[in-house]
Amino acid sequence: AKLGAEIAGKIVALAVRKGETVTKGQAIARIDKRDLDIQVERAEALLKVREKEHKAVQSLKNKGLQGEVAFSKAQADLIEARAGLRNAKIALRNTAVIAPFNGVVERLYIELGDFVGVGDPVATLIDLSQIVIEADVSERHIQDLVIEQPAWVTFIDGQRTEGKIH
């Protein structure tokens, strides 16, 4: 999998190197948060205000003292405040580039201090839990092979594993 940046910013931390094993959920790199935590606080405060406004307008509407337009506006403001908070939290969470599965870092496209844009490649991970090994077979032996037939592979370090022919 090629992992990309989901937010633009400066790389402030690299948690891995090429060839390292990573686990699902492990941070690969961190992008500068800038003022995102302040934006989350601001969005939380605005949401509290909008909730109180909505509650007050709803109370007045129930008593027949508030029009439908004002109530609808208060509802829209509340929905917008919830969305703003959700967006700020997502942006803050996206400052960490996270491994989506257990694997090995095949390539790092970034260095500490680099600036990345949204979608820029950060790293490539390889999932070694299932690997495909390609081998050539002579015409003389091809008729002896059957799809889903067991096959054994011996790696350079002597380790041996079993798979199936596809």
Side-chain angles (χ1 to χ4, degrees):
K2 188 179 276 189
L3 307 180
E6 294 186 45
I7 190 168
K10 181 179 175 182
I11 300 295
V12 294
L14 275 175
V16 297
R17 290 187 306 242
K18 179 180 175 180
E20 280 190 31
T21 301
V22 294
T23 57
K24 180 179 180 177
Q26 180 179 343
I28 303 290
R30 295 214 179 270
I31 300 170
D32 186 14
K33 293 184 205 177
R34 298 178 315 264
D35 65 342
L36 290 173
D37 29 5
I38 294 169
Q39 288 181 30
V40 169
E41 286 180 32
R42 186 181 314 142
E44 287 172 341
L46 181 62
L47 178 59
K48 286 179 185 176
V49 169
R50 295 296 187 229
E51 286 172 341
K52 288 177 182 178
E53 288 174 351
H54 182 263
K55 187 175 179 181
V57 169
Q58 188 172 24
S59 176
L60 290 172
K61 182 181 179 260
N62 291 342
K63 294 177 184 176
L65 301 172
Q66 188 70 58
E68 190 65 35
V69 173
F71 177 72
S72 295
K73 183 179 177 340
Q75 261 186 323
D77 289 344
L78 179 59
I79 291 168
E80 185 177 347
R82 285 181 182 146
L85 177 58
R86 191 170 28 248
N87 288 340
K89 285 182 175 180
I90 288 170
L92 184 59
R93 187 176 64 235
N94 286 343
T95 59
V97 179
I98 304 295
F101 52 81
N102 296 339
V104 174
V105 178
E106 178 191 34
R107 184 167 181 197
L108 279 174
Y109 298 95
I110 54 160
E111 292 181 13
L112 195 61
D114 283 353
F115 183 86
V116 292
V118 176
D120 285 353
V122 172
T124 301
L125 292 185
I126 299 174
D127 180 2
L128 294 179
S129 64
Q130 287 194 6
I131 59 174
V132 175
I133 297 174
E134 189 175 310
D136 294 323
V137 178
S138 70
E139 289 180 25
R140 190 173 72 173
H141 295 102
I142 195 79
Q143 72 269 4
D144 296 332
L145 301 180
V146 178
I147 301 294
E148 298 296 316
Q149 173 183 344
W152 292 267
V153 176
T154 304
F155 294 100
I156 214 164
D157 65 356
Q159 183 182 355
R160 188 177 163 133
T161 189
E162 182 181 345
K164 293 181 181 179
I165 294 178
H166 292 282

